[in-house]
PDB file of all heavy atoms in Angstrom:
ATOM      1  N   ARG A  13      17.204  44.142 -58.794  1.00 94.00           N
ATOM      2  CA  ARG A  13      18.086  44.433 -57.650  1.00 94.00           C
ATOM      3  C   ARG A  13      18.006  45.908 -57.268  1.00 94.00           C
ATOM      4  O   ARG A  13      18.073  46.256 -56.098  1.00 94.00           O
ATOM      5  CB  ARG A  13      19.530  44.069 -57.977  1.00 94.00           C
ATOM      6  CG  ARG A  13      19.810  42.589 -57.954  1.00 94.00           C
ATOM      7  CD  ARG A  13      21.297  42.297 -58.039  1.00 94.00           C
ATOM      8  NE  ARG A  13      21.905  42.757 -59.275  1.00 94.00           N
ATOM      9  CZ  ARG A  13      21.966  42.055 -60.401  1.00 94.00           C
ATOM     10  NH1 ARG A  13      21.448  40.840 -60.448  1.00 94.00           N
ATOM     11  NH2 ARG A  13      22.544  42.551 -61.478  1.00 94.00           N
ATOM     12  N   GLU A  14      17.858  46.765 -58.246  1.00 95.00           N
ATOM     13  CA  GLU A  14      17.835  48.211 -57.997  1.00 95.00           C
ATOM     14  C   GLU A  14      16.518  48.708 -57.398  1.00 95.00           C
ATOM     15  O   GLU A  14      16.510  49.664 -56.644  1.00 95.00           O
ATOM     16  CB  GLU A  14      18.106  48.979 -59.297  1.00 95.00           C
ATOM     17  CG  GLU A  14      19.524  48.862 -59.774  1.00 95.00           C
ATOM     18  CD  GLU A  14      20.515  49.481 -58.806  1.00 95.00           C
ATOM     19  OE1 GLU A  14      20.248  50.566 -58.268  1.00 95.00           O
ATOM     20  OE2 GLU A  14      21.568  48.863 -58.587  1.00 95.00           O
ATOM     21  N   VAL A  15      15.396  48.092 -57.746  1.00 96.00           N
ATOM     22  CA  VAL A  15      14.106  48.634 -57.301  1.00 96.00           C
ATOM     23  C   VAL A  15      13.638  48.082 -55.964  1.00 96.00           C
ATOM     24  O   VAL A  15      12.874  48.747 -55.263  1.00 96.00           O
ATOM     25  CB  VAL A  15      12.990  48.447 -58.359  1.00 96.00           C
ATOM     26  CG1 VAL A  15      13.355  49.134 -59.653  1.00 96.00           C
ATOM     27  CG2 VAL A  15      12.652  46.992 -58.588  1.00 96.00           C
ATOM     28  N   GLU A  16      14.095  46.893 -55.593  1.00 95.00           N
ATOM     29  CA  GLU A  16      13.640  46.306 -54.335  1.00 95.00           C
ATOM     30  C   GLU A  16      14.043  47.194 -53.159  1.00 95.00           C
ATOM     31  O   GLU A  16      15.181  47.622 -53.051  1.00 95.00           O
ATOM     32  CB  GLU A  16      14.200  44.896 -54.165  1.00 95.00           C
ATOM     33  CG  GLU A  16      13.388  44.060 -53.222  1.00 95.00           C
ATOM     34  CD  GLU A  16      13.703  42.586 -53.350  1.00 95.00           C
ATOM     35  OE1 GLU A  16      13.128  41.931 -54.248  1.00 95.00           O
ATOM     36  OE2 GLU A  16      14.529  42.103 -52.560  1.00 95.00           O
ATOM     37  N   GLY A  17      13.071  47.518 -52.310  1.00 95.00           N
ATOM     38  CA  GLY A  17      13.310  48.362 -51.149  1.00 95.00           C
ATOM     39  C   GLY A  17      13.064  49.847 -51.395  1.00 95.00           C
ATOM     40  O   GLY A  17      12.995  50.629 -50.466  1.00 95.00           O
ATOM     41  N   ARG A  18      12.914  50.240 -52.645  1.00 95.00           N
ATOM     42  CA  ARG A  18      12.670  51.646 -52.973  1.00 95.00           C
ATOM     43  C   ARG A  18      11.182  51.963 -52.929  1.00 95.00           C
ATOM     44  O   ARG A  18      10.348  51.070 -52.992  1.00 95.00           O
ATOM     45  CB  ARG A  18      13.187  51.981 -54.370  1.00 95.00           C
ATOM     46  CG  ARG A  18      14.686  51.909 -54.504  1.00 95.00           C
ATOM     47  CD  ARG A  18      15.082  52.305 -55.918  1.00 95.00           C
ATOM     48  NE  ARG A  18      16.497  52.146 -56.135  1.00 95.00           N
ATOM     49  CZ  ARG A  18      17.341  53.160 -56.277  1.00 95.00           C
ATOM     50  NH1 ARG A  18      16.911  54.398 -56.215  1.00 95.00           N
ATOM     51  NH2 ARG A  18      18.619  52.934 -56.496  1.00 95.00           N
ATOM     52  N   THR A  19      10.870  53.256 -52.854  1.00 92.00           N
ATOM     53  CA  THR A  19       9.477  53.664 -52.991  1.00 92.00           C
ATOM     54  C   THR A  19       9.092  53.547 -54.462  1.00 92.00           C
ATOM     55  O   THR A  19       9.960  53.467 -55.346  1.00 92.00           O
ATOM     56  CB  THR A  19       9.253  55.119 -52.536  1.00 92.00           C
ATOM     57  OG1 THR A  19       9.940  55.992 -53.443  1.00 92.00           O
ATOM     58  CG2 THR A  19       9.713  55.331 -51.100  1.00 92.00           C
ATOM     59  N   LEU A  20       7.798  53.569 -54.734  1.00 91.00           N
ATOM     60  CA  LEU A  20       7.331  53.485 -56.113  1.00 91.00           C
ATOM     61  C   LEU A  20       7.871  54.643 -56.945  1.00 91.00           C
ATOM     62  O   LEU A  20       8.312  54.453 -58.078  1.00 91.00           O
ATOM     63  CB  LEU A  20       5.804  53.480 -56.154  1.00 91.00           C
ATOM     64  CG  LEU A  20       5.140  52.281 -55.470  1.00 91.00           C
ATOM     65  CD1 LEU A  20       3.631  52.451 -55.448  1.00 91.00           C
ATOM     66  CD2 LEU A  20       5.537  50.980 -56.138  1.00 91.00           C
ATOM     67  N   LEU A  21       7.870  55.839 -56.373  1.00 86.00           N
ATOM     68  CA  LEU A  21       8.355  57.001 -57.104  1.00 86.00           C
ATOM     69  C   LEU A  21       9.858  56.903 -57.361  1.00 86.00           C
ATOM     70  O   LEU A  21      10.334  57.225 -58.453  1.00 86.00           O
ATOM     71  CB  LEU A  21       8.017  58.279 -56.344  1.00 86.00           C
ATOM     72  CG  LEU A  21       8.080  59.572 -57.140  1.00 86.00           C
ATOM     73  CD1 LEU A  21       7.170  59.526 -58.357  1.00 86.00           C
ATOM     74  CD2 LEU A  21       7.708  60.747 -56.250  1.00 86.00           C
ATOM     75  N   GLU A  22      10.621  56.435 -56.384  1.00 90.00           N
ATOM     76  CA  GLU A  22      12.058  56.244 -56.587  1.00 90.00           C
ATOM     77  C   GLU A  22      12.318  55.200 -57.667  1.00 90.00           C
ATOM     78  O   GLU A  22      13.187  55.378 -58.519  1.00 90.00           O
ATOM     79  CB  GLU A  22      12.735  55.797 -55.287  1.00 90.00           C
ATOM     80  CG  GLU A  22      12.807  56.840 -54.212  1.00 90.00           C
ATOM     81  CD  GLU A  22      13.211  56.278 -52.864  1.00 90.00           C
ATOM     82  OE1 GLU A  22      13.144  55.049 -52.631  1.00 90.00           O
ATOM     83  OE2 GLU A  22      13.585  57.100 -52.006  1.00 90.00           O
ATOM     84  N   ALA A  23      11.563  54.113 -57.641  1.00 93.00           N
ATOM     85  CA  ALA A  23      11.740  53.038 -58.621  1.00 93.00           C
ATOM     86  C   ALA A  23      11.452  53.521 -60.039  1.00 93.00           C
ATOM     87  O   ALA A  23      12.084  53.065 -60.992  1.00 93.00           O
ATOM     88  CB  ALA A  23      10.842  51.852 -58.276  1.00 93.00           C
ATOM     89  N   ALA A  24      10.523  54.457 -60.176  1.00 89.00           N
ATOM     90  CA  ALA A  24      10.167  54.960 -61.505  1.00 89.00           C
ATOM     91  C   ALA A  24      11.331  55.672 -62.178  1.00 89.00           C
ATOM     92  O   ALA A  24      11.357  55.790 -63.398  1.00 89.00           O
ATOM     93  CB  ALA A  24       8.964  55.894 -61.401  1.00 89.00           C
ATOM     94  N   SER A  25      12.321  56.118 -61.401  1.00 87.00           N
ATOM     95  CA  SER A  25      13.451  56.846 -61.987  1.00 87.00           C
ATOM     96  C   SER A  25      14.700  55.975 -62.145  1.00 87.00           C
ATOM     97  O   SER A  25      15.740  56.468 -62.578  1.00 87.00           O
ATOM     98  CB  SER A  25      13.783  58.074 -61.138  1.00 87.00           C
ATOM     99  OG  SER A  25      14.274  57.682 -59.878  1.00 87.00           O
ATOM    100  N   VAL A  26      14.617  54.695 -61.819  1.00 90.00           N
ATOM    101  CA  VAL A  26      15.772  53.805 -61.937  1.00 90.00           C
ATOM    102  C   VAL A  26      16.016  53.500 -63.421  1.00 90.00           C
ATOM    103  O   VAL A  26      15.105  53.062 -64.118  1.00 90.00           O
ATOM    104  CB  VAL A  26      15.530  52.492 -61.153  1.00 90.00           C
ATOM    105  CG1 VAL A  26      16.593  51.460 -61.468  1.00 90.00           C
ATOM    106  CG2 VAL A  26      15.487  52.779 -59.663  1.00 90.00           C
ATOM    107  N   PRO A  27      17.231  53.746 -63.907  1.00 89.00           N
ATOM    108  CA  PRO A  27      17.518  53.441 -65.312  1.00 89.00           C
ATOM    109  C   PRO A  27      17.696  51.943 -65.515  1.00 89.00           C
ATOM    110  O   PRO A  27      18.021  51.215 -64.580  1.00 89.00           O
ATOM    111  CB  PRO A  27      18.831  54.183 -65.571  1.00 89.00           C
ATOM    112  CG  PRO A  27      19.495  54.244 -64.237  1.00 89.00           C
ATOM    113  CD  PRO A  27      18.381  54.324 -63.225  1.00 89.00           C
ATOM    114  N   GLY A  28      17.475  51.506 -66.740  1.00 90.00           N
ATOM    115  CA  GLY A  28      17.656  50.095 -67.057  1.00 90.00           C
ATOM    116  C   GLY A  28      17.565  49.879 -68.553  1.00 90.00           C
ATOM    117  O   GLY A  28      17.294  50.812 -69.312  1.00 90.00           O
ATOM    118  N   GLU A  29      17.801  48.636 -68.952  1.00 91.00           N
ATOM    119  CA  GLU A  29      17.654  48.304 -70.367  1.00 91.00           C
ATOM    120  C   GLU A  29      16.216  48.577 -70.782  1.00 91.00           C
ATOM    121  O   GLU A  29      15.287  48.404 -69.991  1.00 91.00           O
ATOM    122  CB  GLU A  29      18.016  46.846 -70.612  1.00 91.00           C
ATOM    123  CG  GLU A  29      19.508  46.586 -70.474  1.00 91.00           C
ATOM    124  CD  GLU A  29      19.884  45.162 -70.853  1.00 91.00           C
ATOM    125  OE1 GLU A  29      19.262  44.590 -71.776  1.00 91.00           O
ATOM    126  OE2 GLU A  29      20.797  44.630 -70.205  1.00 91.00           O
ATOM    127  N   ARG A  30      16.033  48.977 -72.012  1.00 90.00           N
ATOM    128  CA  ARG A  30      14.748  49.483 -72.475  1.00 90.00           C
ATOM    129  C   ARG A  30      13.578  48.539 -72.199  1.00 90.00           C
ATOM    130  O   ARG A  30      12.555  48.953 -71.672  1.00 90.00           O
ATOM    131  CB  ARG A  30      14.824  49.799 -73.963  1.00 90.00           C
ATOM    132  CG  ARG A  30      13.555  50.398 -74.488  1.00 90.00           C
ATOM    133  CD  ARG A  30      13.695  50.848 -75.895  1.00 90.00           C
ATOM    134  NE  ARG A  30      12.451  51.445 -76.339  1.00 90.00           N
ATOM    135  CZ  ARG A  30      12.298  51.995 -77.499  1.00 90.00           C
ATOM    136  NH1 ARG A  30      13.305  52.055 -78.338  1.00 90.00           N
ATOM    137  NH2 ARG A  30      11.148  52.499 -77.851  1.00 90.00           N
ATOM    138  N   LEU A  31      13.702  47.291 -72.553  1.00 92.00           N
ATOM    139  CA  LEU A  31      12.581  46.361 -72.395  1.00 92.00           C
ATOM    140  C   LEU A  31      12.224  46.174 -70.924  1.00 92.00           C
ATOM    141  O   LEU A  31      11.054  46.206 -70.545  1.00 92.00           O
ATOM    142  CB  LEU A  31      12.923  45.020 -73.053  1.00 92.00           C
ATOM    143  CG  LEU A  31      11.762  44.080 -73.332  1.00 92.00           C
ATOM    144  CD1 LEU A  31      10.733  44.737 -74.250  1.00 92.00           C
ATOM    145  CD2 LEU A  31      12.260  42.800 -73.958  1.00 92.00           C
ATOM    146  N   ALA A  32      13.245  46.012 -70.078  1.00 94.00           N
ATOM    147  CA  ALA A  32      13.006  45.849 -68.642  1.00 94.00           C
ATOM    148  C   ALA A  32      12.386  47.121 -68.058  1.00 94.00           C
ATOM    149  O   ALA A  32      11.439  47.064 -67.275  1.00 94.00           O
ATOM    150  CB  ALA A  32      14.310  45.511 -67.923  1.00 94.00           C
ATOM    151  N   ALA A  33      12.919  48.274 -68.442  1.00 93.00           N
ATOM    152  CA  ALA A  33      12.388  49.549 -67.942  1.00 93.00           C
ATOM    153  C   ALA A  33      10.945  49.759 -68.400  1.00 93.00           C
ATOM    154  O   ALA A  33      10.106  50.250 -67.637  1.00 93.00           O
ATOM    155  CB  ALA A  33      13.267  50.703 -68.406  1.00 93.00           C
ATOM    156  N   ASP A  34      10.635  49.369 -69.625  1.00 92.00           N
ATOM    157  CA  ASP A  34       9.254  49.495 -70.119  1.00 92.00           C
ATOM    158  C   ASP A  34       8.302  48.628 -69.305  1.00 92.00           C
ATOM    159  O   ASP A  34       7.193  49.044 -68.978  1.00 92.00           O
ATOM    160  CB  ASP A  34       9.163  49.126 -71.597  1.00 92.00           C
ATOM    161  CG  ASP A  34       9.682  50.217 -72.522  1.00 92.00           C
ATOM    162  OD1 ASP A  34       9.956  51.337 -72.038  1.00 92.00           O
ATOM    163  OD2 ASP A  34       9.819  49.946 -73.729  1.00 92.00           O
ATOM    164  N   ALA A  35       8.722  47.412 -68.956  1.00 94.00           N
ATOM    165  CA  ALA A  35       7.876  46.532 -68.147  1.00 94.00           C
ATOM    166  C   ALA A  35       7.674  47.120 -66.757  1.00 94.00           C
ATOM    167  O   ALA A  35       6.569  47.119 -66.218  1.00 94.00           O
ATOM    168  CB  ALA A  35       8.494  45.135 -68.055  1.00 94.00           C
ATOM    169  N   LEU A  36       8.750  47.652 -66.176  1.00 95.00           N
ATOM    170  CA  LEU A  36       8.647  48.286 -64.855  1.00 95.00           C
ATOM    171  C   LEU A  36       7.691  49.468 -64.903  1.00 95.00           C
ATOM    172  O   LEU A  36       6.815  49.603 -64.048  1.00 95.00           O
ATOM    173  CB  LEU A  36      10.030  48.746 -64.385  1.00 95.00           C
ATOM    174  CG  LEU A  36      10.054  49.533 -63.079  1.00 95.00           C
ATOM    175  CD1 LEU A  36       9.598  48.661 -61.913  1.00 95.00           C
ATOM    176  CD2 LEU A  36      11.439  50.101 -62.835  1.00 95.00           C
ATOM    177  N   HIS A  37       7.827  50.310 -65.890  1.00 92.00           N
ATOM    178  CA  HIS A  37       6.964  51.486 -65.994  1.00 92.00           C
ATOM    179  C   HIS A  37       5.518  51.098 -66.280  1.00 92.00           C
ATOM    180  O   HIS A  37       4.592  51.790 -65.857  1.00 92.00           O
ATOM    181  CB  HIS A  37       7.513  52.454 -67.023  1.00 92.00           C
ATOM    182  CG  HIS A  37       8.813  53.043 -66.595  1.00 92.00           C
ATOM    183  ND1 HIS A  37       9.746  53.511 -67.465  1.00 92.00           N
ATOM    184  CD2 HIS A  37       9.352  53.215 -65.360  1.00 92.00           C
ATOM    185  CE1 HIS A  37      10.798  53.952 -66.794  1.00 92.00           C
ATOM    186  NE2 HIS A  37      10.577  53.774 -65.522  1.00 92.00           N
ATOM    187  N   ASP A  38       5.322  49.979 -66.961  1.00 92.00           N
ATOM    188  CA  ASP A  38       3.959  49.485 -67.184  1.00 92.00           C
ATOM    189  C   ASP A  38       3.304  49.124 -65.851  1.00 92.00           C
ATOM    190  O   ASP A  38       2.127  49.385 -65.630  1.00 92.00           O
ATOM    191  CB  ASP A  38       3.998  48.267 -68.119  1.00 92.00           C
ATOM    192  CG  ASP A  38       2.621  47.772 -68.507  1.00 92.00           C
ATOM    193  OD1 ASP A  38       1.771  48.600 -68.899  1.00 92.00           O
ATOM    194  OD2 ASP A  38       2.396  46.548 -68.421  1.00 92.00           O
ATOM    195  N   ALA A  39       4.091  48.544 -64.942  1.00 95.00           N
ATOM    196  CA  ALA A  39       3.567  48.188 -63.617  1.00 95.00           C
ATOM    197  C   ALA A  39       3.354  49.417 -62.747  1.00 95.00           C
ATOM    198  O   ALA A  39       2.371  49.515 -62.014  1.00 95.00           O
ATOM    199  CB  ALA A  39       4.520  47.207 -62.921  1.00 95.00           C
ATOM    200  N   LEU A  40       4.278  50.373 -62.813  1.00 92.00           N
ATOM    201  CA  LEU A  40       4.235  51.535 -61.926  1.00 92.00           C
ATOM    202  C   LEU A  40       3.304  52.643 -62.392  1.00 92.00           C
ATOM    203  O   LEU A  40       2.785  53.397 -61.564  1.00 92.00           O
ATOM    204  CB  LEU A  40       5.642  52.125 -61.779  1.00 92.00           C
ATOM    205  CG  LEU A  40       6.679  51.272 -61.101  1.00 92.00           C
ATOM    206  CD1 LEU A  40       8.034  51.961 -61.156  1.00 92.00           C
ATOM    207  CD2 LEU A  40       6.277  50.963 -59.676  1.00 92.00           C
ATOM    208  N   GLY A  41       3.116  52.767 -63.674  1.00 86.00           N
ATOM    209  CA  GLY A  41       2.375  53.895 -64.236  1.00 86.00           C
ATOM    210  C   GLY A  41       1.068  54.228 -63.552  1.00 86.00           C
ATOM    211  O   GLY A  41       0.834  55.385 -63.178  1.00 86.00           O
ATOM    212  N   PRO A  42       0.196  53.266 -63.319  1.00 83.00           N
ATOM    213  CA  PRO A  42      -1.099  53.595 -62.726  1.00 83.00           C
ATOM    214  C   PRO A  42      -1.052  53.954 -61.240  1.00 83.00           C
ATOM    215  O   PRO A  42      -2.022  54.485 -60.715  1.00 83.00           O
ATOM    216  CB  PRO A  42      -1.911  52.305 -62.914  1.00 83.00           C
ATOM    217  CG  PRO A  42      -1.183  51.506 -63.936  1.00 83.00           C
ATOM    218  CD  PRO A  42       0.254  51.891 -63.825  1.00 83.00           C
ATOM    219  N   VAL A  43       0.063  53.695 -60.544  1.00 85.00           N
ATOM    220  CA  VAL A  43       0.051  53.868 -59.090  1.00 85.00           C
ATOM    221  C   VAL A  43       1.120  54.792 -58.522  1.00 85.00           C
ATOM    222  O   VAL A  43       1.018  55.199 -57.373  1.00 85.00           O
ATOM    223  CB  VAL A  43       0.166  52.502 -58.370  1.00 85.00           C
ATOM    224  CG1 VAL A  43      -1.022  51.621 -58.680  1.00 85.00           C
ATOM    225  CG2 VAL A  43       1.472  51.813 -58.712  1.00 85.00           C
ATOM    226  N   ALA A  44       2.164  55.098 -59.295  1.00 74.00           N
ATOM    227  CA  ALA A  44       3.233  55.948 -58.755  1.00 74.00           C
ATOM    228  C   ALA A  44       2.696  57.356 -58.547  1.00 74.00           C
ATOM    229  O   ALA A  44       2.101  57.945 -59.435  1.00 74.00           O
ATOM    230  CB  ALA A  44       4.432  55.962 -59.696  1.00 74.00           C
ATOM    231  N   ALA A  45       2.887  57.874 -57.358  1.00 70.00           N
ATOM    232  CA  ALA A  45       2.388  59.208 -57.045  1.00 70.00           C
ATOM    233  C   ALA A  45       3.323  59.883 -56.059  1.00 70.00           C
ATOM    234  O   ALA A  45       3.988  59.240 -55.261  1.00 70.00           O
ATOM    235  CB  ALA A  45       0.983  59.117 -56.443  1.00 70.00           C
ATOM    236  N   ALA A  46       3.362  61.186 -56.129  1.00 72.00           N
ATOM    237  CA  ALA A  46       4.167  61.976 -55.193  1.00 72.00           C
ATOM    238  C   ALA A  46       3.226  62.792 -54.324  1.00 72.00           C
ATOM    239  O   ALA A  46       2.123  63.143 -54.735  1.00 72.00           O
ATOM    240  CB  ALA A  46       5.107  62.898 -55.962  1.00 72.00           C
ATOM    241  N   VAL A  47       3.666  63.090 -53.118  1.00 76.00           N
ATOM    242  CA  VAL A  47       2.904  63.951 -52.230  1.00 76.00           C
ATOM    243  C   VAL A  47       2.824  65.337 -52.882  1.00 76.00           C
ATOM    244  O   VAL A  47       3.834  65.859 -53.355  1.00 76.00           O
ATOM    245  CB  VAL A  47       3.590  64.044 -50.853  1.00 76.00           C
ATOM    246  CG1 VAL A  47       2.868  65.016 -49.956  1.00 76.00           C
ATOM    247  CG2 VAL A  47       3.676  62.671 -50.220  1.00 76.00           C
ATOM    248  N   PRO A  48       1.635  65.931 -52.954  1.00 83.00           N
ATOM    249  CA  PRO A  48       1.530  67.264 -53.569  1.00 83.00           C
ATOM    250  C   PRO A  48       2.460  68.264 -52.889  1.00 83.00           C
ATOM    251  O   PRO A  48       2.622  68.251 -51.669  1.00 83.00           O
ATOM    252  CB  PRO A  48       0.064  67.640 -53.338  1.00 83.00           C
ATOM    253  CG  PRO A  48      -0.642  66.335 -53.186  1.00 83.00           C
ATOM    254  CD  PRO A  48       0.347  65.423 -52.510  1.00 83.00           C
ATOM    255  N   ASP A  49       3.083  69.104 -53.691  1.00 88.00           N
ATOM    256  CA  ASP A  49       4.017  70.106 -53.196  1.00 88.00           C
ATOM    257  C   ASP A  49       3.931  71.312 -54.115  1.00 88.00           C
ATOM    258  O   ASP A  49       4.168  71.198 -55.321  1.00 88.00           O
ATOM    259  CB  ASP A  49       5.431  69.538 -53.204  1.00 88.00           C
ATOM    260  CG  ASP A  49       6.475  70.484 -52.640  1.00 88.00           C
ATOM    261  OD1 ASP A  49       6.273  71.717 -52.687  1.00 88.00           O
ATOM    262  OD2 ASP A  49       7.501  69.982 -52.168  1.00 88.00           O
ATOM    263  N   GLU A  50       3.589  72.475 -53.558  1.00 90.00           N
ATOM    264  CA  GLU A  50       3.415  73.671 -54.369  1.00 90.00           C
ATOM    265  C   GLU A  50       4.710  74.123 -55.037  1.00 90.00           C
ATOM    266  O   GLU A  50       4.680  74.849 -56.024  1.00 90.00           O
ATOM    267  CB  GLU A  50       2.818  74.801 -53.533  1.00 90.00           C
ATOM    268  CG  GLU A  50       1.375  74.540 -53.180  1.00 90.00           C
ATOM    269  CD  GLU A  50       0.692  75.738 -52.544  1.00 90.00           C
ATOM    270  OE1 GLU A  50       1.159  76.864 -52.750  1.00 90.00           O
ATOM    271  OE2 GLU A  50      -0.299  75.510 -51.852  1.00 90.00           O
ATOM    272  N   GLY A  51       5.860  73.684 -54.538  1.00 91.00           N
ATOM    273  CA  GLY A  51       7.135  74.053 -55.142  1.00 91.00           C
ATOM    274  C   GLY A  51       7.528  73.169 -56.305  1.00 91.00           C
ATOM    275  O   GLY A  51       8.486  73.450 -57.020  1.00 91.00           O
ATOM    276  N   ARG A  52       6.793  72.081 -56.514  1.00 91.00           N
ATOM    277  CA  ARG A  52       7.105  71.144 -57.585  1.00 91.00           C
ATOM    278  C   ARG A  52       6.345  71.559 -58.839  1.00 91.00           C
ATOM    279  O   ARG A  52       5.154  71.843 -58.788  1.00 91.00           O
ATOM    280  CB  ARG A  52       6.707  69.729 -57.158  1.00 91.00           C
ATOM    281  CG  ARG A  52       7.205  68.658 -58.101  1.00 91.00           C
ATOM    282  CD  ARG A  52       6.851  67.249 -57.619  1.00 91.00           C
ATOM    283  NE  ARG A  52       7.449  66.981 -56.315  1.00 91.00           N
ATOM    284  CZ  ARG A  52       6.762  66.568 -55.265  1.00 91.00           C
ATOM    285  NH1 ARG A  52       5.467  66.370 -55.336  1.00 91.00           N
ATOM    286  NH2 ARG A  52       7.359  66.346 -54.116  1.00 91.00           N
TER     287      ARG A  52
END
């Protein structure tokens, strides 16, 4: 419910129960990216 409609980067920061969060991060890890920013 929390990740639907969010960007991949936003979804990567959504907290959750450990097992569910691990599965989400397994899916997002290879593709989540942020626009380069020299201030970051």
Side-chain angles (χ1 to χ4, degrees):
R13 285 190 297 273
E14 289 296 318
V15 301
E16 202 164 276
R18 293 182 185 250
T19 67
L20 297 174
L21 197 57
E22 290 168 343
S25 67
V26 169
E29 289 186 35
R30 183 173 181 176
L31 197 59
D34 283 351
L36 175 65
H37 294 154
D38 185 48
L40 295 175
V43 297
V47 176
D49 183 334
E50 289 189 23
R52 190 177 300 126

